[in-house]
Amino acid sequence: MPRSRSATRMALPIWVVLVTLFAFLGPESALAADRGAWAPNVPYTVGDIVSHEGKGYDCRQSHTSLVGWEPPNVPALWLERTSAPDTQAPTAPTQLTAPSKTHASVTLSWSASTDNVGVTGYEVFVNAGASPSATTTGATTATVSNLAANTTYTFTVKARDAAGNRSVASAAFSTTTSAPPPVDTEPPTAPSALRSTSVGNSSVSLAWNASTDNVGVTGYEVFVNAGASPSTTTTGATSATVSNLAANTTYAFTVKARDAAGNRSVSSGAVSVTTTSAPPPGTKVLVGYWHNFDNGSTNIRLRNVSAKFDVIQVAFAEPVGGAGSGTLAFTPYNSTVADFKADIAFLQGQGRKVLISIGGANGTLHLDDATARQNFVTSMQSLITTYGFNGLDLDLEGSSLSLNGGDTDFRNPTTPRIVNLIQATRQLLDQNGAGFLLTMAPETAYVQGGMAAYGGPWGAYLPVIHALRDRLTYLHVQHYNTGTVTALDGRAYAQGTSDFHVAMAEMLLRGFPVGGNTSAMFPALRPEQVIIGLPSSPQAAGGGYTSPANVHKALDYLMKGQSFGGAYVLREPAGYPGFKGLMTWSINWDQFTQFEFSNSHRAYLDTYR
């Protein structure tokens, strides 16, 4: 969250926060290293030089790159260099060969070219064609598809640089595609152990055991009430969420497996599930962060928070004794403990919930061992008991959550600070009973960013969300201070747009492949668990503010299926009526701008039925 303690110092966006551990680099950091063309998913260090779109850039902050976060987009990471125009072509690729092939494709590899600035990619030509049949953005491998079986093809490769210079062609390489495979007529086995994993008023989440096939299962189809067409499909995942169901209604579900040849299995055994009752009208919620410091917005006594907010997040409980101590403390700003407790009780008497939020941009927390974990539980329980908070909000940023090397399965995390956070949070939930709320406010890199890459900060919140989803009340990802993020349709969307809000929300409502691996699908959350996080005003964040009109366009599409004609197309055409509402940073900035956020969005949410 952009929770600065002065009027002029805004919280740093994710790309800066993530690199604070590298603030004191050794003397070797002064040695510039030419890394060639910028590419995603590459670790870069301060002093590295890359090329991108004909320009050179110096790395200013150590980080691992990601699609959408190219040098021109993030000046906090890259400083543009000034240089003379590049007219020198790369050297020709060498050692072109084909490590594998099928009846319809050939996979090629070659040795890298060199360039005075940097090679940005390669072009593969088939049979001396005028146009490339395949291109890469730096990789020295490529697969050429849609070839004829048992046919000889000749391939060449050219290298290109950011200025558009192309090398001469590599030496030609010829190979013959394989004979066509025999026709596959054998269907997969039926899926087994079909079961429901969660139920809402408009959706049911299902899981099943995998089928087997003589060649390979490519996906599954979920049928509702023995319908002729599947209600939803997967591309290999053994879980799915069926949405747009009626409340308080019993449905029968079955699943079939399919293979690449189009063979379908017989149906799984059926499972019947009854959706929950519909929520009463007017139950969409508005969540706001009240910050316990004056950053130039305004200071509000807690009891005077606008009545438009249903859930108030008190920001923040922060570590004392260092990030690794695990001990958190909270001291009311400009108030006594007695007055603050009275204010919380006053708001609770109005039927509102008051939670304590942990962390923020300045509150880095590392639960790296059992001692820190127990200190966390003890100190947080003390705060909860003292003030009577209704719940706990995890707003951990920067290096508080980061995946260690080799931690590759969000379902079974091994990074100590993640495992300890899950265990400590579960203990607090158990100690405080079923009515104790749990919310989370991660940045996009930590959640949706985990689809493009899983490691380090990318996707680091996913194991926490997944392990605690049974007790998770609301997840409100911060749709601000972010680079572009790739959505389910494979396109990258920019913050501050209606498309961005719809696309990012549906990733949580639909589920997505973690690290692009369809065998590691992050299961969908229930619609009533999902909330969009927004800045309340342009001053509240470095980027991502969206006008109320464009937010309402997004919500009309997301909840009602009423398209505004944007680029992103919902996977669920009817929308998600159970979607829960909006969160904002912050209540203080909302009051500063004469309640534009709370007035406009409360009125909109109250009309939704």
Side-chain angles (χ1 to χ4, degrees):
M1 295 272 181
R3 33 188 77 71
S4 154
R5 296 194 181 277
S6 71
T8 58
R9 198 189 95 209
M10 298 298 291
L12 297 175
I14 177 65
W15 51 79
V16 178
V17 175
L18 292 175
V19 298
T20 57
L21 294 178
F22 299 96
F24 300 98
L25 296 173
E28 68 275 12
S29 64
L31 300 176
D34 190 343
R35 301 293 298 279
W38 179 92
N41 308 313
V42 173
Y44 290 108
T45 301
V46 172
D48 283 351
I49 301 169
V50 300
S51 60
H52 182 73
E53 296 181 343
K55 296 179 179 179
Y57 295 87
D58 292 307
C59 181
R60 306 175 71 181
Q61 302 278 0
S62 298
H63 66 286
T64 297
S65 57
L66 194 65
V67 172
W69 305 63
E70 292 84 352
N73 298 342
V74 279
L77 291 179
W78 296 102
L79 178 67
E80 184 180 340
R81 314 186 102 211
T82 56
S83 59
D86 177 17
T87 59
Q88 182 175 326
T91 62
T94 59
Q95 297 180 311
L96 178 60
T97 188
S100 65
K101 58 186 176 181
T102 69
H103 68 284
S105 66
V106 172
T107 298
L108 301 162
S109 68
W110 54 89
S111 296
S113 299
T114 59
D115 186 67
N116 62 315
V117 176
V119 175
T120 58
Y122 298 88
E123 299 171 335
V124 179
F125 296 84
V126 180
N127 295 340
S131 300
S133 295
T135 61
T136 80
T137 56
T140 56
T141 62
T143 298
V144 180
S145 304
N146 299 317
L147 302 177
N150 201 26
T151 302
T152 300
Y153 291 91
T154 300
F155 302 91
T156 55
V157 181
K158 292 181 180 180
R160 65 178 184 276
D161 63 19
N165 302 305
R166 280 158 172 79
S167 73
V168 297
S170 68
F173 173 80
S174 296
T175 190
T176 303
T177 52
S178 307
V183 176
D184 177 15
T185 59
E186 183 177 331
T189 61
S192 60
L194 178 62
R195 56 203 180 272
S196 170
T197 55
S198 68
V199 183
N201 62 77
S202 62
S203 65
V204 171
S205 295
L206 302 164
W208 54 89
N209 293 348
S211 300
T212 59
D213 186 67
N214 62 317
V215 177
V217 175
T218 58
Y220 297 89
E221 299 171 334
V222 180
F223 295 82
V224 180
N225 294 339
S229 300
S231 293
T232 189
T233 61
T234 80
T235 55
T238 56
S239 63
T241 296
V242 180
S243 303
N244 200 33
L245 303 176
N248 198 29
T249 303
T250 300
Y251 293 91
F253 301 92
T254 55
V255 180
K256 293 181 180 180
R258 65 178 184 276
D259 63 19
N263 301 306
R264 263 106 179 137
S265 73
V266 296
S267 294
S268 67
V271 62
S272 293
V273 183
T274 302
T275 52
T276 60
S277 299
T283 57
K284 304 301 181 188
V285 300
L286 205 59
V287 180
Y289 283 77
W290 173 93
H291 43 85
N292 191 44
F293 48 87
D294 187 355
N295 62 351
S297 53
T298 187
N299 179 251
I300 310 167
R301 183 170 175 176
L302 188 65
R303 70 169 52 221
N304 295 329
V305 165
S306 168
K308 304 295 194 300
F309 290 99
D310 305 287
V311 179
I312 296 94
Q313 306 279 12
V314 172
F316 298 96
E318 295 179 311
V320 292
S325 73
T327 301
L328 287 99
F330 171 78
T331 302
Y333 173 76
N334 204 23
S335 173
T336 66
V337 171
D339 283 346
F340 202 77
K341 290 169 64 176
D343 286 356
I344 291 174
F346 176 80
L347 295 174
Q348 291 169 336
Q350 298 175 337
R352 299 199 269 174
K353 304 296 184 182
V354 183
L355 283 67
I356 179 66
S357 182
I358 296 169
N362 298 329
T364 303
L365 174 70
H366 297 162
L367 301 185
D368 288 326
D369 53 42
T371 299
R373 181 181 70 226
Q374 188 55 51
N375 289 344
F376 175 83
V377 172
T378 301
S379 60
M380 285 308 303
Q381 187 60 61
S382 176
L383 292 177
I384 292 163
T385 302
T386 298
Y387 292 97
F389 290 114
N390 297 108
L392 176 68
D393 175 64
L394 301 180
D395 185 6
L396 299 176
E397 304 182 16
S399 63
S400 293
L401 289 183
S402 184
L403 294 157
N404 289 350
D407 191 349
T408 59
D409 184 357
F410 72 92
R411 296 157 296 197
N412 299 286
T414 58
T415 302
R417 68 184 55 170
I418 290 176
V419 174
N420 286 323
L421 176 67
I422 292 169
Q423 293 175 351
T425 304
R426 177 72 68 181
Q427 185 174 340
L428 287 168
L429 293 171
D430 292 343
Q431 289 175 183
N432 290 279
F436 193 72
L437 307 185
L438 173 65
T439 63
M440 303 183 195
E443 297 164 277
T444 56
Y446 292 85
V447 183
Q448 292 93 337
M451 185 175 80
Y454 187 67
W458 310 112
Y461 244 93
L462 295 179
V464 181
I465 298 167
H466 186 65
L468 299 171
R469 64 171 55 231
D470 62 310
R471 289 297 306 273
L472 178 65
T473 311
Y474 306 131
L475 176 68
H476 27 64
V477 176
Q478 302 175 33
H479 285 196
Y480 46 91
N481 287 353
T482 175
T484 59
V485 184
T486 301
L488 293 174
D489 61 359
R491 301 175 65 174
Y493 292 91
Q495 63 178 340
T497 64
S498 301
D499 274 327
F500 184 82
H501 300 311
V502 174
M504 293 302 100
E506 194 174 38
M507 289 181 72
L508 303 176
L509 295 163
R510 195 81 174 182
F512 56 89
V514 177
N517 180 3
T518 56
S519 296
M521 294 292 293
F522 181 77
L525 294 172
R526 300 191 309 276
E528 57 269 26
Q529 292 178 297
V530 181
I531 288 175
I532 288 173
L534 300 165
S536 58
S537 68
Q539 301 94 328
Y545 172 76
T546 312
S547 70
N550 284 331
V551 173
H552 297 167
K553 287 180 184 178
L555 294 178
D556 282 341
Y557 192 21
L558 189 62
M559 293 195 287
K560 303 177 184 178
Q562 296 177 358
S563 174
F564 54 87
Y568 184 79
V569 178
L570 276 175
R571 305 276 134 348
E572 179 55 65
Y576 302 86
F579 175 84
K580 198 61 177 176
L582 298 173
M583 173 275 278
T584 191
W585 177 268
S586 67
I587 288 171
N588 309 58
W589 280 112
D590 179 49
Q591 181 160 313
F592 180 84
T593 53
Q594 303 301 307
F595 307 102
E596 177 197 57
F597 184 94
S598 58
N599 285 343
S600 60
H601 294 313
R602 180 77 269 169
Y604 171 88
L605 293 174
D606 283 347
T607 64
Y608 185 81
R609 296 293 184 266

